[in-house]
Amino acid sequence: MFEGFTLSDREGEGVRLRVRHGGAGPAVLLLHGHPRTHATWHRVAPLLTAAGHTVVCPDLRGYGGSSKPVTDAEHLPYAKRAMAGDCLKLMRSLGHEQFAVVGHDRGAYVATRLALDHPEAVRSLTVLDAVPIGEALNRCDARFAASWWHWFFLGQTDKPAERIINADPDAWYRADPQTMGAEAYEDYRRAIHDPATVHAMCEDYRAGLGVDRRHDEEDRRVGRRVRCPLQVLWATGDDMVDLYGDVLSVWHEWAGAGLEGAPITSGHHIAEEAPGELVAALRDFWNGGRPQARHGGTR
């Protein structure tokens, strides 16, 4: 897994991040989702380095082998703003002042916050299977609550979810080693069997329902937008279209320098299930290749 890559620990904003990095050329930062680790990218990263990119894949704070800071009443240590700060410091420590960012699931929220808070650093933004947290919560209805109930279960504190998850992490998360790949599966499994990681992942969701939503609403109120080119990709086997219809229309008010995107035939974990199609879509976006759907028409 990740042949030719370096595995190391790097200091973030008061935390230590486990990171894989390798390749040469324009830098790309890949951010995983819940409950994965950076290993979710093990099929994508080599394709990108072969295409002439430097690839950096960290475990987000709280996840995998990265450190788990003590939380507070507002869950600020697990805000996407804090995670984005980690990523910026990481990339600069590796010598990358500007870079493309690709984020999946919870990593998409970190990637979006990185682009909003540090526009000078982010050359382009790609989000996979996500709309902004504030948009998701503002549009929340019975269908969303039924499908995404875990947001509210993981995010509440009166009856913490950690006790239930830690009773049988394998039954709760239900991953498939054949789909993930054996080494990636073992990396993920070590993470979900660590109670500190389970707690930190719940803190991620608690921040999402509070401080992260507030940050999105503050940005929306002052008209702050993503200033770099923005690509949105979603899995046909996920429920993005069922929930939002025209997925790009949700992102329209957040895009300040071009918005495009398309579905990818895959289940939710696109990097594991359709790595070739994902890399092709990324390269087309970065290089101005084949037409993709755009809000208001086609290119």
Side-chain angles (χ1 to χ4, degrees), residues 30-203:
L30 303 178
L31 302 178
H32 64 84
H34 169 267
R36 297 308 205 244
T37 71
H38 77 277
T40 194
W41 302 107
H42 73 101
R43 293 176 177 138
V44 169
L47 297 177
L48 290 175
T49 57
H53 293 276
T54 298
V55 177
V56 180
C57 311
D59 289 346
L60 296 171
R61 69 160 64 189
Y63 286 79
S66 291
S67 57
K68 287 83 178 165
V70 176
T71 193
D72 61 21
E74 290 191 83
H75 316 289
L76 289 173
Y78 292 90
K80 306 309 157 292
R81 177 159 285 161
M83 294 183 179
D86 295 339
C87 293
L88 182 67
K89 185 171 183 179
L90 167 65
M91 294 303 281
R92 287 181 173 165
S93 76
L94 293 171
H96 307 302
E97 294 297 318
Q98 286 193 318
F99 45 89
V101 183
V102 181
H104 173 250
D105 187 80
R106 304 303 289 185
Y109 307 133
V110 180
T112 301
R113 180 50 51 196
L114 183 58
L116 287 166
D117 286 0
H118 306 285
E120 75 288 349
V122 178
R123 191 168 56 248
S124 69
L125 169 65
T126 298
V127 297
L128 311 179
D129 277 342
V131 301
I133 289 177
E135 297 288 350
L137 291 172
N138 288 341
R139 288 169 163 78
C140 180
D141 58 12
R143 176 183 292 180
F144 182 92
S147 297
W148 290 47
W149 60 273
H150 64 282
W151 273 33
F152 310 102
F153 175 64
L154 298 174
Q156 53 81 41
T157 56
D158 288 344
K159 297 180 179 180
E162 289 91 330
R163 182 175 179 182
I164 294 174
I165 297 170
N166 288 328
D168 192 344
D170 293 310
W172 175 262
Y173 286 114
R174 297 184 302 173
D176 175 11
Q178 287 189 317
T179 301
M180 290 185 68
E183 290 179 89
Y185 176 76
E186 288 305 318
D187 194 68
Y188 142 88
R189 196 165 180 271
R190 280 192 296 272
I192 66 169
H193 280 264
D194 177 4
T197 301
V198 171
H199 173 61
M201 292 192 294
C202 290
E203 285 295 303

Side-chain angles (χ1 to χ4, degrees), residues 43-44 47 264-267 269-280:
R43 293 176 177 138
V44 169
L47 297 177
I264 290 182
T265 302
S266 175
H269 294 284
I270 298 173
E272 297 168 7
E273 300 176 42
E277 293 85 346
L278 173 57
V279 169

